[in-house]
Amino acid sequence: MKPDTSEILISSDEIRDMVAKVADEINSDYGDRPLLVIPVLTGAFIFAADLVRLLKMPVEIDFMKVSSYVGQTSTGILKINKDIAVDVKGRDVLIVEDVIDTGRTLALLRDMLKERGAASVKICTAFDKPARRVIDIRPDYSGIEVGDVFIVGYGLDLDGRYRDYGDIRIVKDNEEQ
Ligand code: 5GP
Ligand code: MG
């Protein structure tokens, strides 16, 4: 069945307000301290693009593409599909995510960046699904909480589609969710 994406959950106006709120929090926490922003590809590219333009400190941006799978250990294994080129040693790092679901990927990524010697690693997510959490990880900056629904738009995809929507939609009649 063709996915139905007609139901708008979060409007583009609400998203704009959310980005401004998150940027304000980051600006007041970091002041003039330079920030290394690491958006997680692919979903976070639109949120990160909107967010960094509202940040006031010196910002450097490099992208990572990661995924996780549950292996022999309970926490899972991080697969790095694309790594950053910059050295994180001694840097204040802000990971930018589209949505936190189980939290597995982000917990592994945060731990890896700390192991590489980052001075600090904080997490910023546009959307959060706390009810779905498997790993106890809390974002330092969180935009809008959503329930146990599969969302698309504003960078988030279903099989590579719908990332270009300016709002967040709920997918119905989707057998793959
Ligand atoms: P987790 O937190 O489970 O390790 O993984 C979160 C990742 O799964 C997100 O970065 C995102 O790519 C994907 N994901 C989780 N929930 C959704 C959702 O509702 N919609 C879409 N499009 N992707 C999701
Ligand atoms: Mg993601």
Side-chain angles (χ1 to χ4, degrees):
M1 202 185 284
K2 190 178 178 290
D4 173 2
T5 59
S6 61
E7 188 183 337
I8 297 175
L9 181 68
I10 304 165
S11 71
S12 53
D13 281 353
E14 288 174 283
I15 292 173
R16 192 178 346 96
D17 292 348
M18 173 275 282
V19 180
K21 178 202 78 172
V22 170
D24 280 352
E25 290 174 16
I26 296 169
N27 283 327
S28 72
D29 283 359
Y30 287 88
D32 293 332
R33 272 158 64 199
L35 199 53
L36 174 59
V37 174
I38 304 182
V40 182
L41 292 172
T42 302
F45 81 109
I46 291 180
F47 175 49
D50 285 345
L51 181 69
V52 293
R53 285 180 285 179
L54 299 178
L55 296 182
K56 294 180 175 148
M57 71 289 289
V59 158
E60 194 178 339
I61 304 165
D62 202 351
F63 295 88
M64 284 197 90
K65 193 173 173 94
V66 293
S67 51
S68 65
Y69 59 96
V70 180
Q72 305 284 62
T73 64
S74 58
T75 46
I77 294 163
L78 185 72
K79 181 162 186 266
I80 300 174
N81 303 99
K82 184 223 169 284
D83 207 340
I84 45 173
V86 294
D87 188 356
V88 301
K89 210 161 277 151
R91 306 286 303 268
D92 289 314
V93 172
L94 183 69
I95 301 173
V96 176
E97 254 291 16
D98 49 3
V99 59
I100 309 179
D101 190 42
T102 67
R104 276 200 190 95
T105 318
L106 212 47
L108 293 165
L109 178 59
R110 180 196 56 191
D111 293 350
M112 191 211 65
L113 292 170
K114 280 185 181 163
E115 268 167 38
R116 287 186 184 181
S120 69
V121 181
K122 286 195 181 184
I123 291 165
C124 173
T125 190
F127 308 104
D128 191 12
K129 296 183 186 176
R132 296 257 313 162
R133 208 70 97 244
V134 170
I135 305 284
D136 183 22
I137 185 165
R138 267 157 253 187
D140 301 280
Y141 308 98
S142 175
I144 297 172
E145 284 193 5
V146 297
D148 187 4
V149 287
F150 192 84
I151 54 173
V152 295
Y154 199 66
L156 290 146
D157 77 310
L158 171 65
D159 294 336
R161 287 203 53 201
Y162 315 120
R163 293 193 199 275
D164 53 316
Y165 287 173
D167 44 28
I168 287 287
R169 314 273 182 117
I170 292 177
V171 178
K172 286 178 285 190
D173 303 325
N174 167 36
E175 290 166 0
E176 294 167 49
Q177 64 179 277

